[in-house]
Amino acid sequence: MNTTDPNTFPFIKNGIKLFKEVLSVHDDLKQFVPHIESVEYLLLAKTIDMFNEASSGKRNGIFVLNHGDFHLKNIMIQRNDGRLTDVMLLDYQISIFGSPAIDLHYAFAMMFSPEIRRNHYDELLYFYITNFQDTLRKTEYKGHIPGNFEIRQELTKHRFWGLFIFLCFLIFNYTFIDEDGNLAEVIENPQAQKKELENPKFLNELRELLPKFLHNGYFEI
């Protein structure tokens, strides 16, 4: 976030514009275009502020070491006799010290299926929080151990990052799980990106997610 202008990446430069174009041709989805436009100008700016928060001297909240690009293709899994025995994370080139919202918002968009996002969000978030707390206790951490509510506050505080991820990155999740999906083409080619945005399965998930964003205040400044 400090070494390049994110607006130079085609999928970011064109992502929200194409997203709105696709929504606009569907009677039940076009109602969300004005809501997106009301916060659009803030999304990238708030994201950069979040990534720079630890070095800015304005630390206010919880800070952890984030992987930064936490999705299925950056994980190696080892199984023995059908049992999970090891997990290794790869590709730490944008690892960063900052709010746990960085990895959590990203993981819920990039790691999980629509069914898991729909039915197991709270369960998975609770799993993360309790393991985080147990790890701090096992390492005899002497500071304050954040509770469930405090972690959720981080997600709300950085809701614009969560919205930015869903508008620009969620489509890549569908490319990952599509056997014929070409991630490089979707990232670099606006036409391919728009075609992927018109995926009926993706649009159906938006019909569930966008009302949730509205009801949870994601479009409020």
Side-chain angles (χ1 to χ4, degrees):
M1 288 295 179
N2 291 322
T3 58
T4 188
D5 179 3
N7 279 307
T8 61
F9 295 111
F11 71 91
I12 291 178
K13 181 180 179 181
N14 301 306
I16 298 177
K17 173 179 172 287
L18 295 174
F19 192 97
K20 291 189 299 181
E21 287 179 7
V22 171
L23 292 189
S24 295
V25 300
H26 295 273
D27 289 339
D28 60 333
L29 292 173
K30 64 184 180 182
Q31 61 178 304
F32 295 101
V33 172
H35 293 295
I36 293 170
E37 290 178 338
S38 70
V39 297
E40 183 179 351
Y41 73 100
L42 282 171
L43 299 184
L44 191 55
K46 290 290 187 181
T47 291
I48 293 173
D49 286 346
M50 178 192 66
F51 272 81
N52 291 334
E53 198 170 18
S55 59
S56 68
K58 299 178 182 178
R59 294 189 187 181
N60 179 24
I62 302 165
F63 287 80
V64 302
L65 182 63
N66 289 273
H67 180 277
D69 193 16
F70 192 46
H71 59 74
L72 289 173
K73 291 186 180 292
N74 282 339
I75 296 176
M76 293 183 69
I77 295 173
Q78 182 183 68
R79 290 182 177 275
N80 288 314
D81 298 325
R83 294 177 60 251
L84 177 67
T85 55
D86 198 11
V87 175
M88 180 183 293
L89 301 182
L90 309 173
D91 189 2
Y92 286 88
Q93 66 179 344
I94 52 175
S95 181
I96 189 168
F97 186 60
S99 170
I102 293 174
D103 268 358
L104 286 173
H105 277 311
Y106 190 84
F108 279 112
M110 301 297 288
M111 282 281 290
F112 305 123
S113 69
E115 188 274 334
I116 289 177
R117 277 191 290 272
R118 179 173 58 250
N119 298 324
H120 300 284
Y121 176 91
D122 289 319
E123 176 186 348
L124 287 167
L125 183 56
Y126 181 75
F127 180 83
Y128 168 87
I129 294 169
T130 53
N131 276 272
F132 177 45
Q133 293 169 332
D134 288 344
T135 299
L136 291 176
R137 294 187 185 101
K138 288 175 182 176
T139 56
E140 299 182 1
Y141 176 69
K142 303 301 182 185
H144 171 69
I145 296 179
N148 191 315
F149 181 72
E150 291 168 283
I151 298 290
R152 288 176 178 272
Q153 278 186 315
E154 287 292 310
L155 293 171
T156 301
K157 172 183 170 184
H158 297 296
R159 63 192 180 279
F160 292 127
W161 163 244
L163 188 57
F164 178 68
I165 286 294
F166 273 95
L167 294 177
C168 293
F169 287 76
L170 179 61
I171 194 61
F172 300 147
N173 184 300
Y174 282 79
T175 309
F176 284 154
I177 62 179
D178 182 356
E179 292 183 1
D180 299 320
N182 186 329
L183 182 61
E185 185 178 11
V186 173
I187 288 175
E188 297 170 5
N189 185 332
Q191 288 74 33
Q193 187 177 2
K194 187 171 183 180
K195 182 179 178 181
E196 194 78 1
L197 286 166
E198 292 167 340
N199 180 336
K201 293 181 180 178
F202 177 70
L203 293 174
N204 283 337
E205 183 169 14
L206 293 184
R207 291 183 171 97
E208 297 177 354
L209 291 176
L210 288 171
K212 288 183 179 179
F213 291 148
L214 178 63
H215 300 157
N216 289 323
Y218 274 48
F219 300 114
E220 294 179 6
I221 299 174

